[in-house]
């Protein structure tokens, strides 16, 4: 999910937008928020490893 990219953008961005839309509808899914946290950590680790 952290590195997946499709025709309409990254998997991480899609996840974030899904969570944001659900929140706007009054729906809070703790499992999606946990997945978002794990993806964010993975993205952070990946970007740190790729720095010169």
């Amino acid at each position: 999910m952290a590195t997946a990219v499709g025709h309409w953008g990254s998997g991480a961005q899609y996840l974030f937008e899904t969570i944001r839309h659900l929140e706007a509808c009054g729906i809070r899914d703790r499992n999606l928020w946990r997945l978002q946290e794990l993806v964010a950590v993975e993205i952070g680790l990946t970007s740190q490893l790729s720095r010169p």
Side-chain angles (χ1 to χ4, degrees), residues 10-38:
S10 72
Q13 185 64 33
Y14 182 82
L15 174 61
F16 176 75
E17 292 298 332
T18 299
I19 292 170
R20 197 169 70 120
H21 181 76
L22 289 172
E23 290 271 329
C25 294
I27 302 168
R28 181 165 178 86
D29 187 307
R30 66 184 172 99
N31 294 317
L32 286 179
W33 275 107
R34 176 65 179 141
L35 181 57
Q36 171 70 23
E37 179 183 345
L38 293 170

